Amino acid sequence: MFRYFPIHHLPPPLKFLEMQEHFVPFHVDVLLERMLTDQHLTEGQASQFHELRNMLANRFHYEYRKTLEMLKKDFAGINPEPDTRCQQKYSVAELDEKCTQLDKGVKYVLARSNFAALTPEQLDACLELQPVGGLSVYVDKQDFSKFDVFFRGIRDDTVKETRFFFLKREWKTKVFSRVVVIARSSGNDKERLIIKIFKDVSVENLKIIVPRIRLGMPVFDRLKISGTVFGSLVTPLSKLLFAFMLSWWWFIVVTSGFMIAMFKGIFSFLNSRTKYLHVFSSQLYYLTLSNNEAALTSLVDIAEEQELKETLLAYFILFILRDRNLTMQQIDDAVERWLKEQFGFDVDFEVDDALHKLSELGLLILQEPYYKVYDLPCVLRRLDEAWDNFFTYHDSGIAADDRVADGDFPPFP
């Protein structure tokens, strides 16, 4: 059963649509530009802060590059559209293990990207809603042994629709900025795991991004086509019976008219079906961002930038308010207040993640219950030392001793 809900009368399973966003919806350089103009930073500190942004970006890129390589390795044997040949044949148990490992890795990246998972109750409530555009879409979750949906970025929007030639409707809705679908079929191709990313999906249209659906024609169009076919067949059919009683040649003439009316009804149905298939494919085309391996790369890029933004914001607030003793809650409030003042946007900042990352980088000092950070020169030096230690190969040789691998040098084993 399909239902519409006014946005201010949401049923309990859809109350999550009113939640505040964790994602910081601004590019890192936009944030940096506002930070560098802060009156608490001298010209020299602003230059150092710019260098801090670059060093943190390189650090996170290096770390997430390793994460991406692990995800691609796990995805290699279960990619539904590989462009390389896989020589190894996996058993069912091995495929299940690879799917489990990949699922764990993808969910880790999604959490770092501030995506939230739809619970089964929330997903069912969304799938009950009528899609926009007059489509009737049927979803059977039993077709999947695994079906998870994640979302990020909820905003208000207005939907306008024209139905029944002249009747127009307009209502408020909620739109997900990004949606990630992870699905595994329960059929013969169950070894394949599908990962898809979509953009700007309204809550009513969530069901059209399901990998396997059935399209149905709206009731009004069914009645319209049925009435057209019935009306076009009733008269020829009555004439056919009357002609049958008159003469055989008149019967043939009327039969021809009857066949024409029947084919007209069939073509009317096919044209309506084609129209709705076009509506569906057009909507899906503009909603799709990336699939499978490309989706993995996109998710890692999103997580990388989000970690950079959160870390930079936390350090910035702790540095410009270094004359105060700030608790975790006060840091959280200060970041959210700064974002509100600078951009007029409310964000539920995940301060615990940001402080944990600063601690991992060795840039944070906990003086229970207060938090402090090292000054900028010290932070830059610590990050530079950590970067140097990423590559541990040491050789006492000099450039003058370099030789070409040629002939019997080095000696063959």
Side-chain angles (χ1 to χ4, degrees):
M1 178 180 180
F2 300 129
R3 293 178 287 174
Y4 292 101
F5 293 109
I7 209 63
H8 55 281
H9 290 146
L10 292 173
L14 293 178
K15 287 294 185 180
F16 76 95
L17 295 171
E18 299 173 346
M19 66 184 292
Q20 197 173 21
E21 183 60 44
H22 291 302
F23 180 70
V24 180
F26 307 102
H27 191 273
V28 62
D29 288 330
V30 174
L31 295 174
L32 180 66
E33 182 180 348
R34 298 293 179 90
M35 293 175 184
L36 297 183
T37 60
D38 192 278
Q39 61 181 357
H40 295 89
L41 295 180
T42 66
E43 184 176 344
Q45 289 171 340
S47 178
Q48 291 174 326
F49 209 87
H50 193 280
E51 185 63 26
L52 173 62
R53 174 253 186 262
N54 293 334
M55 295 184 74
L56 286 175
N58 289 330
R59 172 68 176 265
F60 290 142
H61 184 69
Y62 177 80
E63 292 178 353
Y64 275 98
R65 175 66 187 178
K66 294 190 294 184
T67 301
L68 179 59
E69 290 174 354
M70 292 175 59
L71 291 175
K72 287 184 175 181
K73 182 180 179 181
D74 290 332
F75 196 50
I78 52 179
N79 188 349
E81 46 188 25
D83 61 351
T84 56
R85 296 184 180 182
C86 182
Q87 301 295 328
Q88 185 176 356
K89 300 297 182 181
Y90 297 99
S91 65
V92 175
E94 288 174 330
L95 288 172
D96 288 340
E97 178 63 25
K98 288 178 73 68
C99 283
T100 301
Q101 284 295 113
L102 181 66
D103 182 63
K104 185 184 301 184
V106 172
K107 287 181 177 178
Y108 168 80
V109 173
L110 287 169
R112 301 282 74 76
S113 306
N114 292 118
F115 277 87
L118 288 178
T119 66
E121 294 78 16
Q122 292 169 348
L123 180 58
D124 289 340
C126 291
L127 295 181
E128 286 183 6
L129 299 179
Q130 169 68 42
V132 178
L135 290 172
S136 294
V137 182
Y138 303 92
V139 177
D140 187 359
K141 292 198 298 182
Q142 300 301 319
D143 292 338
F144 305 95
S145 60
K146 176 181 182 56
F147 185 71
D148 296 324
V149 178
F150 303 82
F151 68 93
R152 192 200 70 198
I154 302 176
R155 69 175 189 272
D156 295 325
D157 200 0
T158 301
V159 177
K160 298 179 181 179
E161 184 184 14
T162 301
R163 299 293 301 277
F164 310 147
F165 305 107
F166 59 89
L167 182 61
K168 295 183 178 180
R169 292 188 301 169
E170 180 178 310
W171 70 91
K172 299 291 185 180
T173 187
K174 293 286 188 177
V175 174
F176 302 118
S177 295
R178 294 292 183 270
V179 175
V180 175
V181 174
I182 304 176
R184 189 182 183 190
S185 174
S186 59
N188 295 328
D189 57 344
K190 63 183 178 181
E191 71 276 6
R192 302 303 184 187
L193 192 72
I194 299 173
I195 305 173
K196 292 179 175 288
I197 304 179
F198 302 90
K199 66 173 183 178
D200 300 331
V201 182
S202 67
V203 62
E204 294 89 357
N205 274 354
L206 189 67
K207 67 194 321 174
I208 75 172
I209 67 175
V210 178
R212 187 179 299 168
I213 62 174
R214 290 185 297 111
L215 288 179
M217 197 173 294
V219 175
F220 176 77
D221 289 314
R222 293 181 187 178
L223 293 175
K224 182 179 69 174
I225 294 174
S226 299
T228 302
V229 174
F230 181 76
S232 61
L233 292 181
V234 167
T235 301
L237 186 58
S238 61
K239 290 181 179 180
L240 183 65
L241 294 174
F242 182 71
F244 180 75
M245 294 183 291
L246 289 179
S247 64
W248 64 269
W249 61 269
W250 185 246
F251 175 76
I252 294 176
V253 173
V254 176
T255 301
S256 301
F258 176 79
M259 296 297 293
I260 292 173
M262 184 175 66
F263 281 115
K264 181 180 177 182
I266 293 174
F267 283 122
S268 176
F269 169 78
L270 292 177
N271 287 336
S272 296
R273 182 174 179 270
T274 301
K275 181 187 71 173
Y276 283 104
L277 286 174
H278 174 72
V279 171
F280 172 75
S281 61
S282 296
Q283 290 185 352
L284 194 59
Y285 177 84
Y286 288 105
L287 295 179
T288 303
L289 280 179
S290 56
N291 303 311
N292 300 320
E293 190 168 300
L296 292 178
T297 303
S298 297
L299 290 176
V300 170
D301 287 344
I302 294 170
E304 180 183 321
E305 183 175 358
Q306 185 65 10
E307 289 251 280
L308 174 60
K309 289 187 287 188
E310 290 178 352
T311 305
L312 206 59
L313 280 167
Y315 181 86
F316 171 74
I317 291 298
L318 282 167
F319 185 78
I320 64 173
L321 301 180
R322 55 191 178 275
D323 58 329
R324 308 181 194 176
N325 292 322
L326 299 178
T327 64
M328 179 182 292
Q329 184 59 51
Q330 289 171 328
I331 298 168
D332 187 57
D333 294 340
V335 173
E336 293 174 1
R337 185 166 54 252
W338 185 84
L339 289 171
K340 180 69 172 179
E341 292 172 353
Q342 295 294 324
F343 302 100
F345 194 85
D346 291 316
V347 176
D348 184 12
F349 185 70
E350 290 194 317
V351 65
D352 50 344
D353 286 349
L355 294 179
H356 178 71
K357 198 62 186 179
L358 283 173
S359 179
E360 280 187 341
L361 295 169
L363 312 181
L364 187 72
I365 303 171
L366 174 59
Q367 300 174 347
E368 193 70 37
Y370 307 114
Y371 292 85
K372 295 287 185 179
V373 289
Y374 291 100
D375 67 357
L376 281 165
C378 178
V379 163
L380 296 177
R381 178 183 58 78
R382 283 171 170 255
L383 289 174
D384 184 58
E385 288 178 353
W387 182 259
D388 292 339
N389 291 330
F390 281 149
F391 308 99
T392 58
Y393 178 76
H394 298 285
D395 188 6
S396 58
I398 58 176
D401 295 332
D402 291 349
R403 294 184 58 180
V404 175
D406 189 25
D408 192 31
F409 178 81
F412 287 99

